[in-house]
Amino acid sequence: MIRDCRANRAEGWAYFISNYVPVTRTILTHYFQPDAAGRVMERILLALRQPESSLFASVEPVPERPFVAELRQHVLALAERFEPAAAPEITVDLETLATALEPLSVVEKQAAWLETMRYAPGQSGTLLRMAPVTVEKIRERAAELIRHKTDAWRRTLLWDNGLQLGRAAAASSGSQCLPAKIFLDVLDGRSTWRGREDMEHHVRGCWHCIDRFCRLVEVVELLRANRPLTGGEAEPLRKLFGVATEKRPAWKRLFGQA
């Protein structure tokens, strides 16, 4: 698909529409208010429909989950450009957060970071395979650690600063940061004990990788719940993208199948 979209081929865009427009909608409605998401959806899709976009720049095959993780970053960046969110009343920067939460383990940092990604304890518990009450306890501890490192504080500080913290974490990569495959091996149960130990040794002190790990956890759930569009649902988007309508075989037209 990536190669076809980069070459501006109809089949690539048709596949993108059917499979990844639903993901785009889910991302928007999770991170933004419904009215804001509705206002920017079409503009975001048209911005994504650019063969020269960095989203389609890779000449090597890209697995689906890393692609969707990158799609998420593009969608959020475009949404913020088209519909800038109001600055939070009380801010916290990534450095302060990192210092405050240094005592936490990797999974505890994930539970805290998912709050910046606007996942409630129940949702975070599903993503991390953890009881919601455990997530709540971790977040209460994290909140206290942060409160002692800031001059101004409120319980929703991470939630309110989520987009800004996410941008800062994404921009803080270093030469030792881990590729997506390492995290996916852990999530899929393919990592060895030593491999997981090495991963955690790095990730515990790297908020870029905490963020990336959490984004991939999010992507796994996004794709698990994703339902591709039917032909009828995709048709208006094909017109928006300037993609020719796919002709159905005669037997499908005869029996009225999409």
Side-chain angles (χ1 to χ4, degrees), residues 19-56:
N19 291 277
Y20 300 121
V21 166
V23 171
T24 299
R25 285 176 176 157
T26 301
I27 292 168
L28 274 177
T29 54
H30 175 75
Y31 285 97
F32 296 90
Q33 294 295 326
D35 56 341
R39 284 194 298 270
V40 300
M41 180 66 183
E42 184 172 311
R43 294 176 69 189
I44 287 174
L45 292 179
L46 289 173
L48 292 173
R49 198 252 185 268
Q50 301 296 326
E52 66 275 12
S53 168
S54 61
L55 187 61
F56 307 110

Side-chain angles (χ1 to χ4, degrees), residues 181-241:
K181 184 181 184 304
I182 298 294
F183 301 118
L184 292 172
D185 283 347
V186 172
L187 294 174
D188 293 340
R190 294 192 302 265
S191 181
T192 63
W193 177 85
R194 179 59 183 271
R196 184 173 186 120
E197 188 177 60
D198 290 344
M199 179 275 292
E200 291 194 353
H201 178 74
H202 169 77
V203 172
R204 186 167 182 178
C206 178
W207 283 91
H208 174 82
C209 286
I210 288 287
D211 175 60
R212 192 172 200 186
F213 199 178
C214 287
R215 282 191 274 123
L216 288 167
V217 169
E218 177 185 46
V219 163
V220 169
E221 183 63 19
L222 281 172
L223 291 175
R224 186 197 66 78
N226 190 43
R227 182 183 67 83
L229 300 179
T230 65
E233 291 169 334
E235 181 57 27
L237 295 165
R238 285 174 172 270
K239 292 179 179 178
L240 178 67
F241 274 51

Side-chain angles (χ1 to χ4, degrees), residues 56-78:
F56 307 110
S58 176
V59 295
E60 299 295 330
V62 177
E64 182 177 41
R65 289 178 292 183
F67 171 77
V68 173
E70 187 63 22
L71 172 64
R72 174 216 190 252
Q73 297 298 85
H74 278 69
V75 169
L76 293 185
L78 288 167

Side-chain angles (χ1 to χ4, degrees), residues 101-211:
L101 301 187
E102 194 279 331
L104 301 186
S105 68
V106 169
V107 71
E108 288 172 332
K109 288 178 179 179
Q110 284 182 280
W113 189 254
L114 283 170
E115 187 171 357
T116 73
M117 295 168 65
R118 303 186 178 182
Y119 285 100
Q123 296 169 307
S124 299
T126 298
L127 293 173
L128 297 176
R129 301 176 185 177
M130 179 186 294
V133 66
T134 303
V135 175
E136 290 177 352
K137 289 178 180 178
I138 292 169
R139 289 183 176 177
E140 288 301 324
R141 183 187 177 200
E144 282 300 303
L145 290 170
I146 295 168
R147 186 168 68 86
H148 289 299
K149 293 291 184 180
T150 55
D151 296 326
W153 178 87
R154 63 173 49 164
R155 182 60 189 85
T156 59
L157 192 64
L158 293 185
W159 187 287
D160 296 342
N161 285 268
L163 293 175
Q164 294 87 338
L165 287 169
R167 284 198 303 270
S172 67
S173 62
S175 60
Q176 301 301 312
C177 285
L178 304 175
K181 184 181 184 304
I182 298 294
F183 301 118
L184 292 172
D185 283 347
V186 172
L187 294 174
D188 293 340
R190 294 192 302 265
S191 181
T192 63
W193 177 85
R194 179 59 183 271
R196 184 173 186 120
E197 188 177 60
D198 290 344
M199 179 275 292
E200 291 194 353
H201 178 74
H202 169 77
V203 172
R204 186 167 182 178
C206 178
W207 283 91
H208 174 82
C209 286
I210 288 287
D211 175 60

